[in-house]
Amino acid sequence: MTTYMERLAAFAADCRERGAPDAVREDVTGRVLDVLGNCLAAHADPAADAGPAVLRAARRWGGTGEATAIGAGDRLPAPSAALVNGTLAHALDYDDTHLPSVLHPSASVVPAALAAAEAAGAGGSALVDAVAAGIEVCARLGMASYLPETRTSLFFERGQHATSICGTLGAAVAAALLFGLPAEGVAHAAGVAASMGSGLIEANRTGGTVKRAHCGWAAHAGVSAAVLALEGVTGPPTVLEGRFGFFRAWLDGRYDAEALLSGLGERWELPRTVYKPYPANHFTHPAVDCALALRAAGLAPGSVAEAELGVAAPVLATIAEPPEEKARPRSPYHAKFSGPYVVAAALLGGGGLGLDLDDFAALDEDALALAARVRCVADERASELFPRAFAAVLRVRLHDGSTREHRVDSSRGGPERPLTREELEVKFRSNAGRALRAEAVEELLAAARALPSAPSAGALLRLTRAG
């Protein structure tokens, strides 16, 4: 019988040979564009300090220049370029999220694929198909960890960052395809990568910048594993389901094999990966939507006596606890994980698509004062919908004793309210414009649109050099 990894690798190799479906390929071009914009914004943002630190480390390591560091233009070994770009892609918490696994596949898979494609001299079409296969494998692994009875991921419950753990294998699959490995070699690359993936999410609660590097390390490990497989290193065939394999090590052997393999190649999980309109933790997005709606209806922030934000019970640990930390975040980055702060920022007014990076450039004293009057509670309806959609209700009591309320059952950008191509391009222009001149932004946008027919994927990266 074929093993789980052999089936995933066969799917990936078939995706390269036959090409992903047209709708999936079109979707992937949007993913690549979003990652490029996020990377450029992080490169230009002094608050995204993990990105420059990782770039400095990569420069210290040196090595043969094979791929481009986005924004900086450095030529680095492919694993190092993947490390830098993956860190940038996740640094601002603006990257897309797959539902219901609640992981961020593009920030690991796309940087790995870009580095491997440039090193291998691959074209845009090959890059698109490799990204499609890598994201699908990453999302399927995340789905296998999702428990319908608890409406959450086992990774998350154990304090593990599913994004970096599953992203490592997805990145390895994408890189192996671009390096030309056959299905057996793709399986070996992912099997090797399974010994490299890791990530703890404690930094979301008590500080540290390491989480911003998680996607970078996953991309780095994925490219490294593919190179090792190319040179003859092999992985165990039962790396996923084996007695000492991936699912046993990470999830105590509790996983959904049907979610991993059912309909593989016919029913795609990739389109369930939703974009972020706001640069904050995705669990906060329905709260932003509620606050923006109340503001649009005429609610004045100064009239708010107190507010209650109702969200899905499983997200309280991320955006509401401990209450004193969330009421007064210790940094702009931690404000992105605070339900009270994002409500306050949205009520006070934001840029871009409702809130943008400027709203998190520094902690705002007015927002902090308003956040102190917001408390978070579990909401039954939001809990029922989670994690297939992010929902919330915001109830506000005014100083005159009157009340206001707004509820959303699916956050903007989610399955029921996807961002339009025009909105994605607004986000890209805003992000890329922080590092590039206006004409360079438009040139990069045009190149990304034409990616499936581009003779060289590396040409796209060379357009990202700031200056």
Side-chain angles (χ1 to χ4, degrees), residues 349-436:
L353 296 175
L355 281 182
D356 68 9
L357 293 168
D358 292 334
D359 296 302
F360 296 95
L363 292 173
D364 181 82
E365 287 300 324
D366 290 337
L368 289 169
L370 185 52
R373 301 199 293 275
V374 180
R375 72 184 188 100
C376 301
V377 299
D379 177 74
E380 183 176 355
R381 178 164 179 78
S383 297
E384 289 174 355
L385 293 169
F386 182 84
R388 297 194 175 273
F390 297 152
V393 58
L394 182 61
R395 301 182 180 94
V396 177
R397 183 176 66 82
L398 307 185
H399 288 297
D400 64 8
S402 63
T403 61
R404 303 288 187 275
E405 178 176 321
H406 190 83
R407 177 182 290 276
V408 297
D409 285 344
S410 180
S411 62
R412 185 182 183 192
E416 306 303 322
R417 302 171 60 196
L419 295 184
T420 66
R421 176 65 65 163
E422 290 74 21
E423 287 173 321
L424 284 174
E425 293 186 358
V426 167
K427 175 183 174 181
F428 171 77
R429 287 188 173 97
S430 175
N431 282 343
R434 296 172 184 273
L436 302 178

Side-chain angles (χ1 to χ4, degrees), residues 122-166:
S125 181
L127 171 66
V128 168
D129 289 331
V131 169
I135 289 180
E136 187 68 13
V137 168
C138 178
R140 292 289 184 134
L141 287 168
M143 283 294 295
S145 77
Y146 168 65
L147 299 179
E149 63 269 23
T150 61
R151 301 176 188 271
T152 191
S153 163
L154 273 172
F155 287 113
F156 182 83
E157 289 300 305
R158 294 162 62 91
Q160 301 158 353
H161 197 188
T163 293
S164 52
I165 296 166
C166 301

